[in-house]
Amino acid sequence: MRVGTFVLAAQFPGQGQGEALHRAVRSAEVAEESGLDSVWLAEHHFVPYGVCPSATTLAALLLGRTRRIRVGTAVSVLPNQHPVALGEQAALLHLTSGGRFSLGVGRGGPWVDLEVFGGGLDAYEKGFPEALELLLEWLDKPRVAGGGERYGFREVAVVPRADELLGDGPAGPEVVVACTSPKSVELAAEKGLPMLLGMHCGDEEKADMVALWRSAARRAGQPAEVAERVAHVSAGVAQIADRPADAVETLVKAMPGWLRQGLDAHVTIDGRHRVMRDPVAYTEFLCGLHPVGPPRLAADRLAATAERTGITRFALMVEGSGDLAATETNVQRLGEEVLPLLE
């Protein structure tokens, strides 16, 4: 079982952006100290839901401050950036960290980001497969030319090459795809890439997506050993307390204010109608799905998810209290009290 944290750099009501980023960095440092496997970094623009605009930049900082833990993006939003530029950054972080970097990519949402960065709605609705293909090609080949509908350029040398890692280690950074629909699951499966599945999904839905991935991988001609080797990632929420009610109370007091403020700030590129979840009901829903409670309950829920879905990697949001000291304690308890129960 590989348990890591999912860091949003969430700005809770009454907090400054620097405070949110400081908590994000500290939570990652404590995650390494506490024996956790990984840190996954979210990326958002123009909203207090998460105030990290570049997951690769924050990953670079954390890779420099740590020595063991894996650091990944969850996710770098492909429609907002050129896949070659992202591929260069990923190769750089892979090589300079000794192979500790994972590149999570996703389609994002139909937000105003697409207008600001110039991708437009087509990049969101149609462009993700082309961008992913170019990114993967960049991470695999010595020279690449762009011959797609959106990206066209003459052949250029790939520098630095992702397969130039010194010593033992993978030939390139792991690439993970955030999947929220059958179409994205099938795309990840065709490429033989692991999925990142969201915290809003229960075990049954995640199990169905894993089953769809396996069948799509077989149809695409992926070798059987690929399905056995690929390690998907399940996102969730973790809050450790001595009593279940105390853990739930901590999140229900803090998360709805953050959710309301953060989600209300999202602006769509085309004015499309958005259906908002009730923040309190959603928080309570997450508490019922994920490791929220005493260490034994938390371990049992992680084990149950692994048994039902086959997923043994977890990215858990640990900053749901909105408080720095409480977040550090939460991470410590996750590593020191929950992990041993999963061995």
Side-chain angles (χ1 to χ4, degrees), residues 4-331:
T5 61
F6 178 32
V7 177
L8 284 90
Q11 182 184 359
F12 286 73
Q15 292 182 351
Q17 295 161 8
E19 184 177 353
L21 289 168
H22 175 65
R23 188 180 62 246
V25 172
R26 278 297 301 145
S27 72
E29 293 173 334
V30 176
E32 170 155 276
E33 295 165 4
S34 302
L36 295 181
D37 170 77
S38 51
V39 176
W40 296 89
L41 308 171
E43 162 179 304
H44 297 88
H45 298 280
F46 322 126
V47 293
Y49 184 83
V51 300
C52 171
S54 172
T56 52
T57 301
L58 185 54
L61 172 72
L62 295 178
L63 287 166
R65 290 197 178 189
T66 57
R67 293 294 176 265
R68 174 194 58 80
I69 202 165
R70 175 163 292 275
V71 180
T73 62
V75 293
S76 296
V77 181
L78 264 181
N80 288 339
Q81 51 198 308
H82 198 294
V84 168
L86 183 59
E88 289 180 325
Q89 294 170 48
L92 179 65
L93 294 180
H94 171 69
L95 296 174
T96 56
S97 69
R100 289 192 291 127
F101 177 68
S102 292
L103 177 62
V105 295
R107 195 166 67 110
W111 312 127
V112 71
D113 314 7
L114 298 164
E115 176 185 318
V116 174
F117 296 114
L121 198 55
D122 275 356
Y124 166 72
E125 294 184 334
K126 303 175 184 177
F128 185 70
E130 179 190 341
L132 178 61
E133 179 64 31
L134 179 54
L135 172 67
L136 296 175
E137 192 175 5
W138 189 266
L139 292 172
D140 183 57
K141 296 183 177 179
R143 298 184 66 84
V144 173
E149 183 177 335
R150 184 179 181 198
Y151 300 106
F153 53 88
R154 72 187 70 180
E155 185 177 88
V156 293
V158 174
V159 180
R161 288 280 306 277
D163 62 357
E164 293 284 341
L165 182 67
L166 297 178
D168 296 331
E174 175 189 39
V175 178
V176 180
V177 180
C179 294
T180 58
S181 68
K183 188 174 181 180
S184 57
V185 172
E186 290 169 354
L187 178 62
E190 289 168 8
K191 307 296 184 185
L193 300 175
M195 300 182 291
L196 171 67
L197 301 181
M199 65 174 67
H200 61 283
C201 301
D203 289 351
E204 293 302 316
E205 186 175 353
K206 287 177 178 175
D208 289 344
M209 295 174 84
V210 170
L212 175 60
W213 188 97
R214 287 176 175 160
S215 63
R218 287 194 298 269
R219 289 196 303 272
Q222 291 288 347
E225 58 267 22
V226 169
E228 299 301 321
R229 185 179 68 249
V230 166
H232 305 298
V233 183
S234 174
V237 177
Q239 188 65 41
I240 310 303
D242 292 333
R243 299 190 309 155
D246 292 339
V248 172
E249 181 181 13
T250 295
L251 297 186
V252 171
K253 280 184 174 180
M255 283 182 62
W258 158 65
L259 287 166
R260 186 176 295 107
Q261 170 182 274
L263 296 176
D264 281 349
H266 282 79
V267 176
T268 58
I269 186 174
D270 54 1
R272 69 180 65 183
H273 177 66
R274 298 170 55 216
V275 178
M276 302 289 291
R277 293 178 182 264
D278 175 81
V280 175
Y282 184 48
T283 301
E284 292 173 340
F285 171 73
L286 294 175
C287 289
L289 285 182
H290 299 303
V292 176
R296 181 75 266 174
L297 181 150
D300 288 346
R301 286 190 176 172
L302 291 172
T305 296
E307 182 176 358
R308 178 66 188 88
T309 66
I311 300 173
T312 57
R313 283 206 293 176
F314 295 89
L316 303 175
M317 180 186 174
V318 292
E319 60 194 304
S321 67
D323 178 78
L324 174 59
T327 297
E328 291 182 350
T329 298
N330 193 34
V331 175

